């Protein structure tokens, strides 16, 4: 099955994300082994993109929510609630 984003074929998950975002994923996540200079330049470029597109974070969250809603079988929901602790009686205190 072929996947297209904005008229371009995506050849894999990374390329799909890049086409959907309009930027390389590495711009936001970084790359292993990048130097301090490379990281600073990447973060500077990301700040410029966000400054030029103030709705970008909201658009991205909306897009992610839509993908999750349309493909619930692709995601596992992790409970954010910790299991209740078992209460034990302390010495000299009734439980």
């Amino acid at each position: 099955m072929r996947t297209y984003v904005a008229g371009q074929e995506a050849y894999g998950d990374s390329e799909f994300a890049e086409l959907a975002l309009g930027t390389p994923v590495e711009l936001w996540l970084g790359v292993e082994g990048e130097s301090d200079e490379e990281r600073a330049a990447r973060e500077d470029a990301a700040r410029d993109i966000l400054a030029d597109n103030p709705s970008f974070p909201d658009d991205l969250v909306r897009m992610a929510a839509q993908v999750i809603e349309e493909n619930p079988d692709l995601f596992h929901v992790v409970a954010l609630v910790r299991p209740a602790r078992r209460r034990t009686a302390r010495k000299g205190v009734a439980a």
Side-chain angles (χ1 to χ4, degrees):
M1 181 159 114
R2 294 181 180 193
T3 303
Y4 291 88
V5 177
Q8 291 189 289
E9 187 172 0
Y11 299 100
D13 296 342
S14 296
E15 194 166 320
F16 175 82
E18 183 173 329
L19 290 170
L21 291 171
T23 63
V25 175
E26 295 81 14
L27 175 68
W28 307 103
L29 302 178
V31 293
E32 190 174 328
E34 72 182 358
S35 69
D36 290 342
E37 277 184 2
E38 291 168 326
R39 186 182 70 248
R42 177 180 56 77
E43 291 174 346
D44 192 42
R47 277 191 290 278
D48 288 345
I49 289 171
L50 292 173
D52 291 343
N53 303 285
S55 68
F56 186 75
D58 292 336
D59 295 342
L60 181 58
V61 169
R62 197 171 8 279
M63 180 179 66
Q66 182 179 355
V67 168
I68 292 168
E69 182 177 41
E70 292 174 0
N71 302 282
D73 54 314
L74 296 178
F75 302 92
H76 299 328
V77 177
V78 177
L80 297 177
V81 178
R82 283 191 258 178
R85 276 200 208 171
R86 192 170 172 198
R87 297 181 76 165
T88 58
R90 291 185 293 185
K91 193 173 188 179
V93 178

